[in-house]
DNA sequence: ATATACTCTACTATGTTAATAGAGTTTATA
DNA sequence: TATAAACTCTATTAACATAGTAGAGTATAT
C-alpha cells in the first residue's frame, strides 16, 4: 500500500468533516487552511469523495461540505481504497490460486496475501469516529499546553 | 509498500540463486528464461543486487552468479527494502513523535506505524531458504502431476 | 584467438503525481 | 434583481518514476 498526497489530503478532509459532524457546513477554503492543502487540489479531491458517496455538498452562498454518513460508519480503509486504489503490494494477490504453473510467482503469492491481510486488518478497523475523538483530545490538549 | 516489476524480478532472481545454492553458477540468460524477465533489464537488477552484497559474480566463459550468503540468512524484507526502497505507506512513520503540532498528521501516524510493523512482521520473517524448499516442493509436485 | 558471459552508461517511451488555471453554475441576501 | 460567495467541471502542465532498450567494453576458459 502506498498513500499519495491525494490520499493523505482525502483522509484529513474526511477527518475534518468528522470533527464538524452535526455542526455547520465546512467550506473548501476553511478546510484547506486547517489541513494545509492547496485549495484547487482539495477541490478535486472533495469532488471525488462526493462521487464515492463519502460526502455531500450544498452550493451557493452558505454552501459547504458535510459527511454523508456518521463518522463511525466510515473507516480509513474505505477512503484509502477509494482514493488511492488497491492496497495490494503487487497486482496478483487476488488472482485465483488455480494451477500455479509458475513456481516463482506461486511462492511469493502467500507473502503478498499475508501483507494484504495484515494491512487490511489495520486500516479497516479504524473509523473516523474514533479518529475524531483522538484528534479532539489532541486539540484540547494543545489549548491547555499553551 | 509497493512492489515494482524491478522488485518482483529481484526477488525471483534471488530465489533462483537460492534454488541453485551450492551448485554451478547461474547465467543471466538461463535465469531470465526461468523467471520470465527481459535479459537486459535483469542484468541491471543483478548488478544492483551485487552492489547490495546479496550476490556475487564470476566473469568469463564459465561465469555466472551465485548467492553471497546462505539462503537462510537472507529475508524477503532485505531484498525488497534494498530494491524498492522504504516499505512505509507514507513518508512520515519514522518522523519523531515530538510536539505534534499538526493534529491531522498526528492522528494518522499511529495507523501508518501499525501498517509498517505488520508488513515488516511478514516480510522480515521469510527467508529464501524457506522459499527454496517450498519452490522445490512445488516443482517436484509439478513433475509428478504431468 | 575467440566465444561466452558479466559490466557499465546512456537513452527513451509511457504513465503517474501533484498540482494550476479558468470558465461555469448555484444560491442566499441586500 | 444584482451580486458575492461557494461549489462544479474540464483542460493543461512540470516533474518524476517505471520498465525497459541499446550498445560498447571487459574478463576468462579453452
Amino acid at each position: 500500500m502506498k498513500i499519495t498526497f491525494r490520499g493523505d489530503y482525502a483522509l484529513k478532509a474526511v477527518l475534518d468533516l468528522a470533527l464538524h459532524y452535526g455542526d455547520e457546513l465546512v467550506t473548501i477554503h476553511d478546510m484547506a487552511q486547517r489541513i494545509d492543502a492547496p485549495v484547487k487540489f482539495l477541490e478535486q479531491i472533495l469532488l471525488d469523495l462526493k462521487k464515492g458517496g463519502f460526502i455531500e455538498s450544498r452550493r451557493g452562498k452558505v454552501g459547504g461540505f458535510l459527511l454523508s454518513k456518521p463518522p463511525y460508519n466510515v473507516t480509513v480503509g474505505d477512503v484509502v481504497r477509494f482514493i488511492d486504489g488497491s492496497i495490494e503490494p503487487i497486482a496478483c494477490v487476488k488472482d485465483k490460486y488455480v494451477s500455479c504453473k509458475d513456481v516463482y510467482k506461486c511462492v511469493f503469492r502467500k507473502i503478498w496475501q499475508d501483507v494484504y491481510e495484515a494491512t487490511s486488518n489495520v486500516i479497516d478497523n479504524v473509523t473516523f469516529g474514533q479518529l475524531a475523538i483522538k484528534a479532539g483530545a489532541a486539540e484540547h490538549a494543545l489549548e491547555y499546553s499553551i
Side-chain angles (χ1 to χ4, degrees), chain A:
Chain A
M1 182 178 60
K2 190 81 210 302
I3 306 295
T4 63
F5 270 71
R6 196 179 190 80
D8 188 44
Y9 290 146
L11 289 167
K12 289 173 181 167
V14 172
L15 174 58
D16 195 57
L17 294 181
L19 284 167
H20 291 86
Y21 191 68
D23 297 4
E24 309 113 35
L25 302 186
V26 173
T27 67
I28 295 180
H29 184 266
D30 287 355
M31 183 190 286
Q33 211 160 345
R34 280 194 295 267
I35 73 176
D36 193 30
V39 175
K40 297 296 282 179
F41 193 23
L42 185 57
E43 267 184 12
Q44 295 176 1
I45 296 165
L46 290 178
L47 268 291
D48 272 0
L49 286 171
K50 193 181 164 186
K51 277 181 201 143
F54 293 96
I55 67 180
E56 288 170 26
S57 62
R58 303 280 177 266
R59 294 171 79 156
K61 186 128 186 188
V62 293
F65 291 88
L66 72 157
L67 228 49
S68 302
K69 297 175 273 185
Y72 278 100
N73 290 350
V74 188
T75 69
V76 167
D78 293 333
V79 174
V80 167
R81 284 168 211 266
F82 181 72
I83 297 291
D84 278 340
S86 168
I87 66 163
E88 297 171 43
I90 189 170
C92 79
V93 173
K94 302 253 187 69
D95 291 2
K96 300 233 174 76
Y97 218 116
V98 276
S99 58
C100 211
K101 283 165 194 164
D102 183 347
V103 173
Y104 291 85
K105 244 187 202 165
C106 191
V107 167
F108 290 105
R109 198 186 312 249
K110 187 180 181 314
I111 298 174
W112 308 142
Q113 243 162 0
D114 287 349
V115 169
Y116 172 81
E117 278 160 29
T119 303
S120 298
N121 195 45
V122 175
I123 66 176
D124 293 338
N125 285 301
V126 186
T127 72
F128 283 89
Q130 295 164 2
L131 290 180
I133 286 179
K134 274 197 194 174
E139 270 180 326
H140 200 251
L142 256 184
E143 276 166 28
Y144 284 84
S145 74
I146 294 167

